[in-house]
Amino acid sequence: MKRKPVITLLSDFGLKDPYVAEMKAVILSICPEASIVDISHEVNKYDKRIGAYMLARAAPLFPKGTIHVAVVDPEVGTKRKPIIITTKHHLYVGPDNGLLILSAEKEGIGKVYEITNKNYMLRNISRTFHGRDIFSPAAAYLALGISASDFGPEISEIIKPSFSQPKVRGQEVLGEVLHVDKFGNIVTNISSEHLKRIGVKEEETLTIMLKNSKIAMKWCSSYSEVPIGTPLLIEGSGGFLEVAVNQGDASKLLGAKSGDKIVLRVQE
Amino acid sequence: MKRKPVITLLSDFGLKDPYVAEMKAVILSICPEASIVDISHEVNKYDKRIGAYMLARAAPLFPKGTIHVAVVDPEVGTKRKPIIITTKHHLYVGPDNGLLILSAEKEGIGKVYEITNKNYMLRNISRTFHGRDIFSPAAAYLALGISASDFGPEISEIIKPSFSQPKVRGQEVLGEVLHVDKFGNIVTNISSEHLKRIGVKEEETLTIMLKNSKIAMKWCSSYSEVPIGTPLLIEGSGGFLEVAVNQGDASKLLGAKSGDKIVLRVQE
Amino acid sequence: MKRKPVITLLSDFGLKDPYVAEMKAVILSICPEASIVDISHEVNKYDKRIGAYMLARAAPLFPKGTIHVAVVDPEVGTKRKPIIITTKHHLYVGPDNGLLILSAEKEGIGKVYEITNKNYMLRNISRTFHGRDIFSPAAAYLALGISASDFGPEISEIIKPSFSQPKVRGQEVLGEVLHVDKFGNIVTNISSEHLKRIGVKEEETLTIMLKNSKIAMKWCSSYSEVPIGTPLLIEGSGGFLEVAVNQGDASKLLGAKSGDKIVLRVQE
């Protein structure tokens, strides 16, 4: 028996306006069998970095074959390309602006196609709402079984913003703050894998440079491994390394916010 | 194969309280196969005009046969009638207070029935929550295939509030502001069709009277057809004419808000 | 034909973060046929009492066999037990902290099982997100038909917080305020059943003690049975007794808030 296709939606549209419902209407009109799940529509307006982070947390958990539509799209109506990214497990649909990359790279990017085939768009394309007019129909046709390669030409270059690419350089990893959560935890774009590549192991102490601070921190597997009020490094439930404070607020202590540069370095 | 029935919900109940979930529980208890989609539950409390606008944007995009339930119902518990409206494509369920009309008229109203048959209501009807006790069961029974005419007598008169009826008078169209969106665009209840009836064509300039202003504006197909900061008239993605300002905020410039009268007139 | 299983979700996670979507991803990965309905995710942070109230309003309305997952879980990561409660109609999954009880007791508690079987959890259990790692998989496996008794040992003691247990003592019922709604109605944890046990009948007057006030009130079936501005007792649409004021705000008049003690007594 064929599984019912799952389509997820992420955007900065909010839930007050009927925009998300319009996307669902378009999807169900093309593929009535689709099961649609919202990831979040409360991404801060135009904040691709946080959108990318939320997508990268939730998307990989969905069943094999899930189609993820993400629309944080400040350049809608310009020449930025609408794309489909294939990975081993999933399909990603959205603007070529870095929003999809963090999640797709976690799974391993297969091929990337530009969406140009007008047979798979709404008849009238508005200048401002490609989520409804291009991305939703694309997802629905993918759910019907149309191959990603039928939507347009394969492309080799896609936008890779800084938040998708921590750099390993000698004994340090250079990254960025993706998000500060409601507990003040500082979520970075760096994974355990990066630390292992510079030879740091869990339970070891390393040097963190963030804003004007340079602090030694233990790479812990639980908050309580350090005294109350002490900063630590820990892998968050989304798979990214986070700077936290045991029973405290790391963001207040260190003054960090989304977009800040961060360096993790072998202890001196 | 029979399509899975789609039921949409729109209300001013918000998403904090469990009221929307109670409606869904009732629907799924009667018609487990229904696929339920939220249009919006963040309509401003009791604001039928904005609810009607949101419904009219999103509802017509849904698949043929979709049942739309809308509940912005300040007169619940009084003698206002619960009704079903049929159109060529859809069924509308809600209070007879104008909420359903803008959308139903866009599709062409077929017949209207008052819901009086207690077989298709919950056993105990609360005085304050007809969304759960009358409208949700009605939608679920319609989804099961019960004919609209089985719910009660056909009625010929329904409430038509001013926001559902722009008037064409000589060389002018008299309408109303439905909504001011977050970009300050002033969404009217007037469609391109009305302008054509007074002989105005796209790309032409016309006179707009709104609040105490009387301004000449071009009927554009994109914002950039006028200089930055200049007001224009444009068909919005919801199918209604909007007063906008290229890269500016029309609502601030003109001081307009939901409910204001507006006149579009052949240029003098 | 087997009905599609329904799983409901209630939490204090909010809808901005992707946490709820992660729970849905886990559920759909295990049981693709599940139909998932949100009850509310806007429960005040850590407020088990209001979460319990919302669950008790909405959950019993769902179809027989529905699995309810509720996560308001300030003690996550401590020794509080993850449990499954069976009732005649439904299954409840969540922490053993009283959150599930108000609703389960309304239906009649059958058996209670502690969830200990690691075959029905995610492979890696985070310390902070049992909603995703333990409760969601449990619900999904229940939806697949796994028996509640396969998840772990039956237990006989569960946490019964004060808000789940109004006490009948002689001629009075001692209860608690569950919630103050947006109209200022004071929702108690007391039902009509309790009043009948002390011999009070609808339409009779009784004495209410709340904060420092002691007031005689009529047990009404509609607000308009008392003059405007007068307090009354009425059964709310959620099945609990509420103190209200005809066209007024009971919470302001009496200064009551969630958690306050309340006594209903045969009139002196």
Side-chain angles (χ1 to χ4, degrees), chain C residues 8-210:
Chain C
T8 76
L9 304 179
L10 175 140
S11 78
D12 58 357
F13 296 154
L15 289 174
K16 177 164 184 174
D17 286 310
Y19 306 137
V20 173
E22 294 176 37
M23 293 177 68
K24 293 178 181 176
V26 167
I27 290 169
L28 291 174
S29 294
I30 296 167
C31 179
E33 293 310 304
S35 175
I36 307 173
V37 180
D38 297 311
I39 290 185
S40 174
H41 298 288
E42 305 290 350
V43 172
N44 304 338
K45 200 82 200 154
Y46 300 148
D47 193 332
K48 292 174 266 189
R49 187 189 287 106
I50 289 178
Y53 164 67
M54 288 187 180
L55 192 67
R57 272 195 67 115
L61 295 170
F62 278 85
K64 192 167 169 144
T66 294
I67 299 151
H68 300 292
V69 180
V71 193
V72 179
D73 193 11
E75 296 89 13
V76 62
T78 69
K79 284 184 186 295
R80 73 94 190 83
K81 293 173 185 149
I83 56 171
I84 298 171
I85 302 179
T86 70
T87 73
K88 211 169 157 184
H89 297 296
H90 294 144
L91 292 159
Y92 288 84
V93 179
D96 177 23
N97 65 10
L99 177 65
L100 310 174
I101 281 214
L102 214 56
S103 191
E105 286 200 330
K106 233 172 150 185
E107 302 181 356
I109 290 182
K111 297 194 166 179
V112 184
Y113 301 92
E114 185 181 350
I115 304 172
T116 57
N117 189 336
K118 289 196 186 303
N119 292 330
Y120 302 131
M121 301 178 186
L122 291 199
R123 208 166 309 162
N124 298 307
I125 310 295
S126 70
R127 276 185 182 76
T128 54
F129 196 1
H130 290 186
R132 179 190 63 189
D133 304 339
I134 296 179
F135 301 129
S136 291
Y141 283 109
L142 287 168
L144 283 180
I146 306 292
S147 165
S149 61
D150 286 347
F151 286 78
E154 189 178 340
I155 57 178
S156 51
E157 288 289 305
I158 51 175
I159 305 282
K160 302 207 177 191
S162 59
F163 64 76
S164 75
Q165 316 180 76
K167 284 193 185 52
V168 175
R169 199 173 61 189
Q171 296 206 300
E172 59 187 25
V173 188
L174 291 75
E176 212 166 283
V177 175
L178 286 177
H179 182 55
V180 173
D181 80 6
K182 72 172 86 170
F183 303 102
N185 296 322
I186 300 164
V187 184
T188 74
N189 63 342
I190 302 171
S191 68
S192 303
E193 211 42 57
H194 292 109
L195 281 193
K196 285 174 190 158
R197 281 163 60 191
I198 60 167
V200 180
K201 292 189 194 66
E202 216 166 330
E203 308 306 320
E204 290 184 355
T205 293
L206 63 169
T207 301
I208 313 261
M209 281 171 295
L210 177 62

Side-chain angles (χ1 to χ4, degrees), chain A residues 4 12-19 21-22 24-26 28-30 32-34 45-46 126-129 132, chain B residues 1 3-4 6 15 35 37-42 44 54 57-58 61-63 179 181-183 221-223 237:
Chain A
K4 198 172 51 167
D12 58 357
F13 297 154
L15 288 173
K16 176 163 184 175
D17 286 309
Y19 305 138
E22 294 176 37
K24 293 177 181 176
V26 167
L28 291 173
S29 294
I30 296 168
E33 293 310 305
K45 200 84 196 151
Y46 301 147
S126 69
R127 274 186 184 75
T128 55
F129 196 1
R132 180 190 62 190
Chain B
M1 193 191 70
R3 273 192 171 206
K4 199 172 48 166
V6 178
L15 289 174
S35 175
V37 180
D38 296 312
I39 290 185
S40 173
H41 298 289
E42 305 291 350
N44 304 340
M54 289 188 179
R57 271 196 67 114
L61 295 171
F62 278 85
H179 182 54
D181 79 7
K182 72 172 82 170
F183 302 101
S221 62
S222 86
Y223 297 124
S237 60

Side-chain angles (χ1 to χ4, degrees), chain B residues 30 116-123 137 141 150-151:
Chain B
I30 296 167
T116 57
N117 189 337
K118 288 194 187 303
N119 292 331
Y120 302 130
M121 301 178 186
L122 291 199
R123 209 166 308 163
Y141 283 109
D150 286 347
F151 287 78

Side-chain angles (χ1 to χ4, degrees), chain A residues 138-172:
Chain A
Y141 283 109
L142 286 168
L144 283 181
I146 305 293
S147 166
S149 61
D150 286 347
F151 287 77
E154 190 178 341
I155 57 178
S156 51
E157 288 288 304
I158 51 173
I159 305 282
K160 301 207 176 189
S162 59
F163 64 77
S164 74
Q165 317 181 73
K167 283 190 186 54
V168 174
R169 199 173 61 190
Q171 295 206 301
E172 60 187 26

Side-chain angles (χ1 to χ4, degrees), chain A residues 40 44 57 61-62 221 237, chain C residues 16 22 25 29 32 127 132:
Chain A
S40 173
N44 303 340
R57 271 195 68 114
L61 296 169
F62 278 85
S221 61
S237 59
Chain C
K16 177 164 184 174
E22 294 176 37
S29 294
R127 276 185 182 76
R132 179 190 63 189

Side-chain angles (χ1 to χ4, degrees), chain B residues 230-242:
Chain B
T230 305
L232 67 143
L233 192 71
I234 190 167
E235 189 180 275
S237 60
F240 297 102
L241 291 169
E242 302 180 9

Side-chain angles (χ1 to χ4, degrees), chain B residues 164-216:
Chain B
S164 75
Q165 319 181 75
K167 283 191 186 56
V168 174
R169 200 173 61 189
Q171 297 206 298
E172 59 187 27
V173 187
L174 291 74
E176 213 168 280
V177 175
L178 286 177
H179 182 54
V180 172
D181 79 7
K182 72 172 82 170
F183 302 101
N185 297 321
I186 300 164
V187 184
T188 74
N189 63 343
I190 301 173
S191 68
S192 302
E193 211 42 58
H194 292 107
L195 280 194
K196 285 174 189 159
R197 281 163 60 192
I198 59 166
V200 179
K201 295 189 192 65
E202 217 166 330
E203 309 306 320
E204 290 184 354
T205 294
L206 63 170
T207 302
I208 313 260
M209 281 172 294
L210 177 61
K211 308 296 284 185
N212 300 318
S213 307
K214 183 170 167 180
I215 311 180

